[in-house]
Amino acid sequence: MVIQAESQAHRHPIYWFDDGSVIVRAYNNHVDGQTSIMLFRIHASLLHRHSELVLKRESEDGCDVPTMTIPLAFGVQVQDFTSLLAHLYHDTPLSLEAPFQHVAAILRVSSPEQLNLPSVHSLARSYLVAMFPSGPSPFVHPNHLEEALSLALRYNITSVRKGIYYSLVTTTDFEPSSDVTDDENTTAVPSKTIALTPTDVARCRNLMHGIVEHFTPVLFEPPVTPHMTCTNVLADKWFPLVIQSAIAGDSVYKPLEALEKLKQIDWRAEGLCAACIREKREEWTNEQEEVWEKMDTWLASE
C-alpha cells in the first residue's frame, strides 16, 4: 500500500475551521492501491461528546493545535467521515429524507469497530430500518438492496433482513453475472458492480423456490365460497381478473402484492355477495401472513 507524502495531504474544503481545536488526519483507500490523506480541522468537543474512542494526540511542528490520526486499521473512509461531520455540524443531519448512502456512511463510521459513536450509530440504525419496511403487507424499498443487506448482516439489524431478501427476489435479477463476450459481435456484457455473497444468492434461490411452490396453487386455483353462486362467479372471473393480470405484472412470484391486488378488486361489482367478499379478503390477508411466516423457513433452507 502506497501512502502519499504528507506534503500531498489536502485540507478538506468544508471541514477546516480556523477556530477548530484539533486536526484529524484521515486516510482514503483507492481502488488502485493508493492511499491519500485528507486533513480536517474541527472542534474536538463535537467528537468527544458522542464517541467513546480516544485517539492519540500528536504534536506537529508549526501547528497551533494538536493532530489526531484515524488509524488505517479502522477502515474509516474519508467520504464516510465527511458524512459524519455533515451530521454532527447539522449540514446534512440524519433524517427520514436523508439519502441511503448518507445513512450507510454514518452507520459504518459510527460503528464500534470504527469511531464508536453509540448514540449516532443507534440513530443511523433507526433510519436504515425506516428505509426498509417489512411485511406481511406489501412494501416498497429504495435501491441499494445489496449494500443494505450487507449492512443489515454486518450490524445484526435483523428486522430488515427478510424484507430485503424479498425485494431482491421480487424486484431484481439476483443471480450473479459475469462478463460474457459474443464471439460474433465481440460485445461484452458488463457484470454487476455490487454482488451478493454466494450464501445470499443461495438464500434468494431458496426463497424464490419456496414462494413459487407455495403460491402457484393459490394463484392458479379459484377459491370456493359457502355460496355456489359466488363460487361460480370466482371460477368465471378468476382467469381474466387474476391469472392474466398476475402473469402480465410478473406477480406470480410476488405473493404479497398479488394477494393485495386480489383484495382491491371490486368483487361486489363482479357479482360476489358481501359475506363472501369479507371471507375471501380475510383469507387473502391470512395468506399474506402465512407467506411472510414461511419465509423464515425458506431462507434457512440449505
Side-chain angles (χ1 to χ4, degrees), residues 52-70:
E52 298 177 1
L53 176 70
V54 178
L55 294 175
K56 182 180 178 181
R57 296 197 174 202
E58 308 158 8
S59 297
E60 294 284 342
D61 293 338
C63 287
D64 57 343
V65 295
T67 297
M68 298 191 303
T69 299
I70 300 176

Side-chain angles (χ1 to χ4, degrees), residues 5-39:
E6 190 71 11
S7 60
Q8 293 179 300
H10 301 285
R11 293 181 178 183
H12 194 272
I14 297 175
Y15 297 109
W16 180 276
F17 301 105
D18 291 338
D19 64 345
S21 58
V22 65
I23 295 173
V24 177
R25 181 190 290 111
Y27 297 106
N28 212 30
N29 296 323
H30 302 281
V31 294
D32 60 0
Q34 298 287 323
T35 300
S36 59
I37 301 169
M38 185 68 71
L39 301 176

Side-chain angles (χ1 to χ4, degrees), residues 240-277:
L241 292 181
V242 179
I243 296 177
Q244 283 188 331
S245 176
I247 293 174
D250 292 330
S251 296
V252 176
Y253 56 91
K254 298 178 180 179
L256 302 184
E257 293 82 353
L259 289 162
E260 195 66 26
K261 288 180 181 179
L262 280 178
K263 293 190 289 183
Q264 299 303 321
I265 293 174
D266 187 355
W267 290 109
R268 190 174 187 84
E270 301 298 335
L272 262 65
C273 71
C276 287
I277 292 172

Side-chain angles (χ1 to χ4, degrees), residues 100 103 107 123-132 148 151-152 157 160:
F100 168 81
V103 175
L107 186 69
L123 188 62
R125 285 174 66 102
S126 69
Y127 284 118
L128 185 76
V129 170
M131 282 184 176
F132 293 90
L151 292 171
I157 309 176
V160 302

Side-chain angles (χ1 to χ4, degrees), residues 37-89:
I37 301 169
M38 185 68 71
L39 301 176
F40 302 82
R41 182 164 177 167
I42 60 175
H43 304 90
S45 60
L46 200 64
L47 280 180
H48 295 160
R49 187 186 311 161
H50 298 278
S51 181
E52 298 177 1
L53 176 70
V54 178
L55 294 175
K56 182 180 178 181
R57 296 197 174 202
E58 308 158 8
S59 297
E60 294 284 342
D61 293 338
C63 287
D64 57 343
V65 295
T67 297
M68 298 191 303
T69 299
I70 300 176
L72 270 170
F74 284 10
V76 174
Q77 292 293 297
V78 165
Q79 185 175 355
D80 288 359
F81 187 64
T82 303
S83 292
L84 173 65
L85 294 179
H87 168 69
L88 295 179
Y89 279 104

Side-chain angles (χ1 to χ4, degrees), residues 135-150:
S137 297
F139 50 83
V140 177
H141 281 168
N143 296 325
H144 313 289
L145 291 170
E146 293 87 352
E147 186 175 353
L149 179 60
S150 175

